[in-house]
Amino acid sequence: MGLTHIRTPKNFVLEERLARFGTAIEERPEAYAGRWAEACWPLGSGHAGGAHFDAVHLDLGCGKGAFLAESARRAPQDLFIGMDIEPICIAYAAQRIVEDGLTNALVLPRGAGALGRIFAPGEIAAITLNFPTPYPKRHFAPRRTTTVDHLLAYRRIIAAGGTLTLRTDSQPLRDYTLIQLAAAGYEVLWSSDDVRREHPDTPASEYESRLAAQGATVWGVCATPGAEPTRDQIAQGRAAEQSLMAYLPDDLESLPYVPLGMEAAVTNLINRRRREAARERA
Ligand SMILES: C[S@@+](CC[C@H](N)C(=O)[O-])C[C@H]1O[C@@H](n2cnc3c(N)ncnc32)[C@H](O)[C@@H]1O
């Protein structure tokens, strides 16, 4: 999953899993654009004239679905859609949905680039990005799901007053995202250096549980689309698509936690600085 490559467990036959938990997977999501709230009510039993879910939530990069399933369990009147580009994650998340008996959650085997074909303008009440793959290197920055261009695409499907929420173990990714949000014309509702403390009721995702156990703090931001951005604003966002190393504090040696995916780069930079300092002393 993401940076830590997903290994297929022993005895895991992907096709068999995808078929077994297929009731929670929509393989042709493009067919439902604009009518998710009606078409999925009640999920799995076809269309029931006029009835619909109150709101549609999207967990983009849902991973194995712990956050998605818990969110769905807490709000049965809303529909929760998870999307992920990793088929193994889709299989695990679908298994969880089926085994938890949830009828208001499903997963789509698609990535962020497909959003405009899957959802109509204003169809989504809230998008959540939990611990998105950070792609710290500058070269891969366009893949981050919080680039100004991705944020512009989210604007088109988020309902009036709707939200986009990021949670991450990465202070650099959160700070980078604040710049990209400004470039895409979002208004920040809250920004937090410790989401778990300030929003304790939020369900934990798999990555949050795993990284918190390793000492991570959860950084986050929640924003809503504001005035349309100007071309200059957007250009500034694109120009800021640099390495996440640029967002780390100067004093790397006393960092209490290094974000996932940046360990090697931080170690290399610390060693380089030590070598340079030794050379200067010599
Ligand atoms: C680090 S994992 C986090 C999973 C989960 N949200 C959590 O917090 O436990 C990042 C997930 O995002 C998925 N992903 C990466 N790029 C994506 C994209 N462009 N669209 C959708 N999912 C993506 C990966 O396959 C992976 O499952």
Side-chain angles (χ1 to χ4, degrees), residues 1-2 59-63 83-86 89 110-112 130-133 135 143 145 205-208 260:
M1 189 182 302
D59 182 351
L60 186 57
C62 63
M83 287 174 63
D84 207 288
I85 49 174
E86 280 283 355
C89 291
R110 293 288 188 283
N130 281 322
F131 297 78
T133 313
Y135 298 109
R143 295 189 192 174
T145 48
S205 70
E206 280 95 2
Y207 266 71
E208 176 177 347
L260 187 66

Side-chain angles (χ1 to χ4, degrees), residues 258-274:
V258 178
L260 187 66
M262 296 184 78
E263 301 89 342
V266 168
T267 305
N268 289 343
L269 186 54
I270 289 175
N271 289 340
R272 197 168 76 212
R273 285 180 182 170
R274 282 184 188 157

Side-chain angles (χ1 to χ4, degrees), residues 23-25 36-37 39-45 52-59 65 67-82 93 96-98 100-107:
T23 52
I25 304 171
W36 285 101
C40 294
W41 174 275
L43 198 61
S45 65
H52 58 83
F53 286 107
D54 288 352
V56 183
H57 299 252
L58 175 63
D59 182 351
F67 177 88
L68 181 76
E70 179 56 19
S71 301
R73 193 189 62 75
R74 293 184 189 186
Q77 75 287 355
D78 290 352
L79 178 64
F80 290 82
I81 298 179
R96 188 183 285 267
I97 290 167
V98 170
D100 288 0
L102 294 165
T103 55
N104 63 330
L106 79 166
V107 280

